[in-house]
Amino acid sequence: MSDNQSWNSSGSEEDLEPREEPGHPVGITVFSGVLSKWTNYIHGWQDRWVVLKNNTLSYYKSQDETEYGCRGSLCLTKAVITPHEFDECRLDISVNDSVWYLRAQDPEHRHRWIESIELHRSIREGRREKGGVQTTIIIPPPLVDSGYGSESSLRRHGSMLSLTSATSGYSATSTSSFKGHSLKEKLAEMETFRDILCRQVDTLQKYFDSCADAVSKDELQRDKIVDDDEDDFPTTRTDGEFLHGNNNNGSKEKLFQALSPRGINGIDFKGEAITFKATTAGILATLSHCIDLMVKREDNWQKRLDKEMEKRRRTEESYKSTLNELKKKSHFGGPDYEEGPNSLINEDEFFDAVEAALDRQDKMEEQSQTEKTRILRSSPVPPGDVFSCSGSHRFAEKVEEMVQSHMTYSLQDVGGDANWQLVVEEGEMKVYRREVEENGIVLDPLKATHSVKGVTGHELCHYFWDTTYRNDWETTIENFNVVETLSDNAVIVYQTHKRVWPASQRDVLYLSAMRKMAADNESDPDTWLVCNFSVDHDDAQPSNKCVRAKISIAMICQTLVSPPEGDKEISRDNILCRITYVANVNPGGWAPASVLRAVAKREYPKFLKRFTSYVQEKTSGKPILF
């Protein structure tokens, strides 16, 4: 096996085989593959090419763009890898405040990635230890080696150490070393120094006392010798000098003169010893007083230090609290707060976030709506007989069944036992609903009635069904495409709706058919309708990026014509379109019921007013299409 290993995360067994990657240093393990990365609450999960190399996890927009540099990277030395508690395909990697939310294709794929990251880190740690990196620990010297904290260090200068040299040496040493020790340690050193100095004073006192005793004894002995000499007769030499009978008398007189109490510079040994002792006692008293002052000063500083420490503690707690709030806000757009069975966002926050997102979309649409209506689009209108039948495609029977169902039930009155509740009434428009839930999912049927002047049922259904004009009036769609054209009046459409965070993004695959139902008698108007209902198609399978919604919608229109005055031709002032709009939507997912109902109550009336106004603007001044 080579040192350079790589596997692609597509999930095949071949991807797990190691392979040589030239150009990489020896001993560097490389892993790479595709993972879904949470980008933001607008774009959600996006596929990214992820590379694990040199103890660093990097990601690129795609494998083809690796040569242009990575879009982000994380050092794995202190990274925390957390498999998600509920989502078996997700893993979170965090380093301090930076969090990457990643999703694998399946649980096994996630397990392989986690194993690869841990293996990569263990290999790096093993190489680091093998590399012989050594850690040096420096231990500070003990207090006994400071030069003045022990008895032996003081006695190296001899027992006759002068007070001046001792104090000067102490001052120089203590000044340089005081910064590294606490006052308690220095106090202990002063106690030691005092004990030693007291012992030295006692020793000197004993020495002085011994010297004084010796002088006293010699003085007594000299007096005794002098008395003995007075009893002897002196002898006279020829030169007239007196000679003592003992030849040692001269040396004794010299000794007596040397040991005279006032003979050595006139020093009084006992007096000097008492003075020295008193002086050292004064010095010690002064030092003791200085120590007391230092202790009091340390107490004051300690109180101030305690206050500062308390301030720091409170500041740190406030900082941590603020940081946690910022983390919560910064991650508020993360995947843990989006719609789901284990979402961390509560119902009120969910509603507030959805309402704010819808308000932003409305403001953006208001700015662009005028430009959309000015765009000249043309789409050929098929002849009327095209819409008289369902055609011969594979869904023809289903289309016919849905059309007959809408003609029978959707046009019924909202009274009786249907339990329709009026939720919105604005002029000619009325919106009703029935509250229905199944397994916690809101399935409320909705029904709206409206009357629009100046347009026909054929025109309204034409603009509602023809995908050429879809983006001009539909503001909730992010993109759509016609998956299959079944006939001139039936198509299969796949569309994704704009993400409204924290709700998950929805997509829908449906068959859209337009029909004309002739009236049974001449006095009744013809009925035009567009019915949209969900179907399945191999070219638009559900994905984990969107929640697939199921729909059954019908736009049913009847044109009422009032006779013109005199011989005038029928104008748009003489026509009125009566609209019945019904919608049965299963949104899927886990959005709260109260939020779904509030959004439906807000959005459906806006949709009807926006769409009918658009058709009025597009048909104004054009020939009437009956």
Side-chain angles (χ1 to χ4, degrees):
M1 183 179 294
S2 64
D3 290 333
N4 299 333
Q5 301 177 357
S6 175
W7 59 272
N8 186 295
S9 63
S10 60
S12 63
E13 294 296 331
E14 295 178 358
D15 296 331
L16 299 177
E17 292 294 329
R19 59 187 176 88
E20 292 273 343
E21 286 198 9
H24 294 302
V26 178
I28 300 301
T29 308
V30 179
F31 300 98
S32 59
V34 176
L35 289 174
S36 295
K37 183 181 183 295
W38 179 265
T39 54
N40 50 55
Y41 69 87
I42 297 178
H43 300 290
W45 297 98
Q46 299 291 332
D47 288 343
R48 293 291 182 258
W49 181 258
V50 183
V51 177
L52 174 60
K53 173 186 174 184
N54 294 340
N55 206 33
T56 301
L57 194 67
S58 308
Y59 78 92
Y60 307 81
K61 186 174 183 181
S62 64
Q63 186 177 6
D64 298 332
E65 296 188 6
T66 54
E67 60 183 6
Y68 301 116
C70 68
R71 294 198 166 195
S73 61
L74 283 178
C75 179
L76 298 176
T77 302
K78 297 183 179 180
V80 179
I81 304 170
T82 308
H84 197 264
E85 182 179 3
F86 306 106
D87 191 344
E88 296 181 350
C89 299
R90 177 177 150 191
L91 65 150
D92 301 344
I93 302 178
S94 60
V95 178
N96 296 330
D97 297 339
S98 180
V99 183
W100 283 11
Y101 305 103
L102 304 173
R103 291 190 87 254
Q105 297 174 355
D106 49 58
E108 179 62 27
H109 188 202
R110 181 187 75 170
H111 180 67
R112 290 202 303 269
W113 265 101
I114 294 176
E115 280 190 340
S116 301
I117 293 174
E118 295 296 344
L119 176 62
H120 190 270
R121 294 205 297 186
S122 65
I123 292 176
R124 296 284 300 184
E125 292 297 329
R127 290 198 184 109
R128 187 178 301 172
E129 295 177 1
K130 188 175 180 180
V133 179
Q134 298 180 354
T135 303
T136 303
I137 301 176
I138 301 175
I139 303 175
L143 182 64
V144 71
D145 293 333
S146 61
Y148 54 86
S150 65
E151 181 179 353
S152 60
S153 62
L154 290 172
R155 288 183 175 178
R156 282 199 298 265
H157 300 284
S159 59
M160 293 299 292
L161 175 67
S162 67
L163 186 62
T164 303
S165 61
T167 54
S168 61
Y170 170 78
S171 300
T173 311
S174 61
T175 301
S176 61
S177 61
F178 184 79
K179 298 179 181 179
H181 304 284
S182 67
L183 186 58
K184 289 184 178 180
E185 293 176 350
K186 300 306 298 181
L187 184 59
E189 293 177 9
M190 292 294 295
E191 291 289 341
T192 303
F193 192 90
R194 187 190 66 179
D195 293 340
I196 296 172
L197 188 57
C198 288
R199 287 196 295 270
Q200 287 184 332
V201 170
D202 293 338
T203 302
L204 289 173
Q205 186 63 46
K206 292 177 181 179
Y207 174 76
F208 293 145
D209 291 342
S210 299
C211 290
D213 292 341
V215 171
S216 298
K217 290 179 182 180
D218 290 339
E219 186 176 356
L220 293 174
Q221 186 177 2
R222 187 193 61 181
D223 292 339
K224 182 179 180 180
I225 293 174
V226 170
D227 291 338
D228 292 340
D229 289 341
E230 289 178 354
D231 296 334
D232 296 335
F233 292 98
T235 56
T236 302
R237 292 181 54 181
T238 56
D239 54 6
E241 293 182 359
F242 292 97
L243 297 176
H244 292 283
N246 192 335
N247 293 333
N248 295 329
N249 289 342
S251 61
K252 288 181 180 182
E253 290 178 357
K254 293 179 181 180
L255 176 61
F256 294 154
Q257 186 178 3
L259 293 178
S260 172
R262 303 286 181 179
I264 305 177
N265 298 325
I267 296 177
D268 184 358
F269 290 108
K270 285 187 177 182
E272 290 296 333
I274 294 173
T275 302
F276 178 76
K277 188 173 183 179
T279 302
T280 54
I283 293 174
L284 293 176
T286 303
L287 290 176
S288 178
H289 179 67
C290 293
I291 291 173
D292 292 338
L293 293 177
M294 294 171 68
V295 170
K296 291 179 180 179
R297 187 175 182 182
E298 185 186 35
D299 290 340
N300 294 332
W301 280 106
Q302 186 64 43
K303 291 178 181 178
R304 296 179 63 179
L305 178 62
D306 293 340
K307 290 181 179 179
E308 294 297 327
M309 293 295 291
E310 180 64 21
K311 287 183 181 179
R312 179 175 179 177
R313 185 188 64 80
R314 290 197 298 265
T315 303
E316 288 178 350
E317 290 180 355
S318 176
Y319 169 76
K320 290 179 181 179
S321 177
T322 305
L323 185 62
N324 291 334
E325 290 296 326
L326 290 176
K327 285 182 179 180
K328 184 177 180 180
K329 291 181 179 180
S330 64
H331 297 159
F332 194 71
D336 291 323
Y337 291 88
E338 70 173 344
E339 173 190 346
N342 305 292
S343 177
L344 299 180
I345 190 172
N346 60 45
E347 190 168 325
D348 292 337
E349 293 174 335
F350 196 105
F351 176 78
D352 292 341
V354 168
E355 189 175 39
L358 292 175
D359 289 340
R360 287 194 298 269
Q361 288 187 6
D362 290 345
K363 188 175 295 185
M364 295 173 62
E365 286 299 327
E366 288 177 3
Q367 299 174 354
S368 60
Q369 191 63 34
T370 305
E371 299 178 359
K372 288 183 178 180
T373 56
R374 292 176 180 174
I375 298 176
L376 298 177
R377 305 182 191 276
S378 61
S379 177
V381 179
D385 56 353
V386 171
F387 303 103
S388 299
C389 62
S390 299
S392 58
H393 52 83
R394 64 183 184 278
F395 291 102
E397 293 183 1
K398 182 65 175 177
V399 170
E400 188 66 26
E401 176 186 346
M402 297 298 296
V403 169
Q404 294 302 326
S405 175
H406 286 301
M407 292 297 295
T408 302
Y409 300 105
S410 299
L411 292 178
Q412 290 181 354
D413 188 67
V414 293
D417 299 330
N419 294 325
W420 289 102
Q421 300 174 5
L422 179 64
V423 292
V424 177
E425 183 175 6
E426 297 181 8
E428 295 292 331
M429 181 176 60
K430 296 180 180 180
V431 180
Y432 305 85
R433 77 172 176 216
R434 287 189 291 116
E435 293 189 358
V436 178
E437 288 190 27
E438 182 178 326
N439 297 326
I441 299 177
V442 175
L443 304 176
D444 295 352
L446 183 139
K447 186 174 185 177
T449 60
H450 194 25
S451 297
V452 184
K453 293 182 179 181
V455 295
T456 66
H458 189 180
E459 290 170 336
L460 278 170
C461 288
H462 170 68
Y463 284 101
F464 186 75
W465 177 79
D466 197 333
T467 56
T468 305
Y469 309 99
R470 183 66 52 85
N471 279 331
D472 290 349
W473 56 265
E474 179 61 275
T475 61
T476 64
I477 293 178
E478 184 174 84
N479 55 67
F480 75 94
N481 64 286
V482 177
V483 178
E484 183 180 355
T485 301
L486 300 174
S487 64
D488 291 338
N489 66 342
V491 293
I492 296 178
V493 179
Y494 171 76
Q495 66 188 29
T496 57
H497 291 264
K498 294 177 181 178
R499 174 79 184 278
V500 181
W501 192 88
S504 300
Q505 189 173 23
R506 259 72 177 177
D507 65 355
V508 60
L509 177 68
Y510 62 94
L511 187 150
S512 181
M514 181 175 171
R515 287 290 305 276
K516 175 186 178 182
M517 308 299 292
D520 294 336
N521 55 67
E522 295 181 357
S523 61
D524 293 333
D526 294 337
T527 301
W528 288 85
L529 66 86
V530 176
C531 64
N532 300 335
F533 57 92
S534 293
V535 294
D536 295 326
H537 199 282
D538 293 338
D539 294 339
Q541 296 292 333
S543 67
N544 58 2
K545 294 183 179 180
C546 295
V547 175
R548 178 64 57 88
K550 301 293 183 180
I551 65 170
S552 177
I553 296 173
M555 173 77 76
I556 307 172
C557 303
Q558 294 176 328
T559 306
L560 304 179
V561 182
S562 60
E565 297 179 357
D567 296 333
K568 293 182 179 180
E569 295 183 358
I570 297 176
S571 68
R572 292 193 177 274
D573 294 332
N574 302 118
I575 59 177
L576 177 71
C577 183
R578 189 169 58 198
I579 302 172
T580 300
Y581 180 81
V582 293
N584 291 271
V585 179
N586 181 350
W590 300 269
S594 61
V595 176
L596 291 176
R597 291 191 172 105
V599 171
K601 182 179 178 180
R602 164 184 166 145
E603 294 300 312
Y604 277 112
K606 289 171 57 177
F607 151 70
L608 277 177
K609 289 191 293 184
R610 182 174 60 249
F611 173 68
T612 54
S613 298
Y614 170 79
V615 176
Q616 286 177 323
E617 292 180 11
K618 295 296 289 186
T619 57
S620 178
K622 293 182 179 180
I624 301 174
L625 182 65
F626 287 101

